[in-house]
Amino acid sequence: MEGEYALSRSGRLIVTIAIDPRWSRSTYGVSDSTMFAVPSRGLLNSALEPLPRTGIDPKDHTTARRGCGMVSVGFIGLGNMGGPMANHLLDAGHDLTVYDLDPDARTALADAGAEVGERPADVAAKSEVTFLSLPTPDAVRAVVLGDDGVASGIESGSVLVDTTTSTPGTTEDVAEELAERDVTVLGAPVSGGVSGAQDATLTTMVGGDRATYDACLELFSAYADDPYHVGDSPGDGNVVKLLNNYLSFLGMVGASEAVALGERAGLDPNTMVDIFSRSTGRNAAVEDKFPNQIIPGHYDLGFSLALMHKDIKLFSRFADESDAPVLLGDTVSNMIGYAKADLGGEADMSEVYKFMQRWIEPDDD
């Protein structure tokens, strides 16, 4: 028999028991007078294990579970990704405190029912689990470790979940700093784009303490269809995210070059993309981006060439720090850099195709 634990907004422990994987699950509210012990600060400050009726102190048990069920949540960074993710956490019934530099983003969440913090430290002080969704690794360091940052407000026993596309080293450094305050850090970047954030269909790849990950699944499930625990180091999720981005960008650049070359040979792009999506050349670019964005001329994936270039540079930085040559990675990085210089950083990443069309078109002479 397996059990999962979370805390309701009223402070009651929710125990989900799966007796047999073929049976449905039943959920019970259990008070602290029964066979389960309920810690004083949610499930975040002490150990929790099913206890015999003798009432043993849970702190005597060696296996700790930090729980992130129905708890107070903070969210810092309310952009194209963070805004929808924060809204989903609010819709799931969590008490939410938010912060962003953009007053319009703060107002939108306040109108939806969230409390607005005055600064990152204020958000962290009011939250048992604080989420970050920031543009760069440097922004993560500033928001967490800078003046009025998360580190100056977060309480012992809390959890920090960083969903930023960052470097493994940044996440590891932040985790090391906050460990001194008894704060657990999960590196939990996401994939699925703006549409995935809006539809709560993201994939999240999480690195860090497995027990904390297990207890926080309810939070991840508010915005992600597919949560994965990928390793016990907080930076492991960032490794998988950077590798995923590399494969995505490689597919985008490769598909753009192939379709542009086919057009130069006089072939219909719709027919080519349909064939590619049903054949061994299929990838996300030909299955989704070309038929839904590029061929109709929308070019609106909600992810700029500047961000695309930033992320491929983070991949290259990780490869360099790993002392691993990545020849294709360097080529893809250069092509994205050329496209950004040609079209401007604000252009949508799908407009790489426009650049490729001009790159390989026949010379007029």
Side-chain angles (χ1 to χ4, degrees):
M1 183 173 71
E2 297 179 353
E4 296 177 1
Y5 315 92
L7 195 67
S8 73
R9 298 174 72 182
S10 63
R12 298 179 68 213
L13 179 65
I14 301 300
V15 182
T16 303
I17 300 173
I19 297 175
D20 186 290
R22 296 168 297 177
W23 301 351
S24 62
R25 294 188 171 195
S26 299
T27 302
Y28 305 91
V30 185
S31 73
D32 58 1
S33 62
T34 66
M35 63 182 292
F36 290 85
V38 182
S40 58
R41 178 175 167 80
L43 303 179
L44 297 175
N45 281 346
S46 60
L48 175 65
E49 285 292 308
L51 301 178
R53 294 184 184 274
T54 52
I56 299 174
D57 184 346
K59 292 183 180 179
D60 290 340
H61 286 243
T62 57
T63 303
R65 288 188 71 154
R66 294 173 182 267
C68 309
M70 201 67 73
V71 296
S72 55
V73 176
F75 210 107
I76 301 170
L78 306 173
N80 288 340
M81 299 295 290
M85 292 163 67
N87 263 305
H88 293 311
L89 288 164
L90 190 63
D91 290 342
H94 301 285
D95 293 327
L96 186 68
T97 305
V98 300
Y99 180 79
D100 193 278
L101 291 174
D102 182 0
D104 291 338
R106 297 196 300 265
T107 299
L109 264 295
D111 291 344
E115 179 181 352
V116 176
E118 296 180 4
R119 56 189 65 88
D122 181 43
V123 173
K126 296 176 179 178
S127 307
E128 293 175 89
V129 185
T130 301
F131 284 79
L132 305 179
S133 179
L134 301 170
T136 65
D138 288 342
V140 171
R141 290 183 185 274
V143 167
V144 176
L145 305 176
D147 294 340
D148 293 323
V150 168
S152 61
I154 198 165
E155 291 189 24
S156 173
S158 299
V159 175
L160 178 70
V161 179
D162 186 9
T163 71
T164 306
T165 299
S166 187
T167 62
T170 299
T171 306
E172 298 288 354
D173 289 347
V174 167
E176 185 176 346
E177 288 281 344
L178 294 185
E180 299 176 3
R181 305 166 190 263
D182 190 30
V183 172
T184 299
V185 173
L186 297 178
V190 296
S191 181
V194 174
S195 62
Q198 292 171 342
D199 297 338
T201 56
L202 294 169
T203 297
T204 183
M205 47 225 81
V206 185
D209 177 64
R210 178 62 193 244
T212 307
Y213 164 83
D214 288 340
C216 288
L217 273 173
E218 181 181 339
L219 296 182
F220 299 141
S221 297
Y223 57 78
D225 269 350
D226 298 305
Y228 290 89
H229 182 261
V230 299
D232 294 329
S233 173
D236 288 343
N238 301 106
V239 174
V240 177
K241 170 61 173 174
L242 294 179
L243 296 176
N244 177 75
N245 279 359
Y246 165 61
L247 290 173
S248 173
F249 299 159
L250 181 64
M252 183 68 208
V253 171
S256 295
E257 190 170 44
V259 175
L261 181 58
E263 277 198 293
R264 177 175 174 172
L267 301 179
D268 175 54
N270 282 290
T271 302
M272 286 188 288
V273 166
D274 191 41
I275 292 170
F276 297 156
S277 66
R278 298 168 186 267
S279 305
T280 55
R282 64 183 176 272
N283 59 28
V286 296
E287 289 183 323
D288 176 32
K289 297 179 178 66
F290 267 87
N292 295 321
Q293 290 292 332
I294 295 173
I295 291 177
H298 300 318
Y299 297 103
D300 187 21
L301 289 171
F303 195 80
S304 69
L305 275 176
L307 289 175
M308 188 183 192
H309 192 233
K310 181 265 296 182
D311 283 358
I312 194 67
K313 287 297 185 183
L314 291 180
F315 166 79
S316 298
R317 177 173 158 189
F318 167 66
D320 288 343
E321 291 172 352
S322 302
D323 200 22
V326 282
L327 301 182
L328 279 177
D330 290 341
T331 300
V332 171
S333 179
N334 288 337
M335 296 306 295
I336 294 171
Y338 296 151
K340 176 189 169 187
D342 183 46
L343 300 174
E346 295 304 311
D348 193 80
M349 69 168 286
S350 58
E351 294 183 71
V352 162
Y353 179 63
K354 294 180 179 178
F355 171 76
M356 282 297 183
Q357 282 181 306
R358 292 204 294 270
W359 181 269
I360 67 172
E361 68 183 5
D363 292 335
D364 292 335
D365 358 324

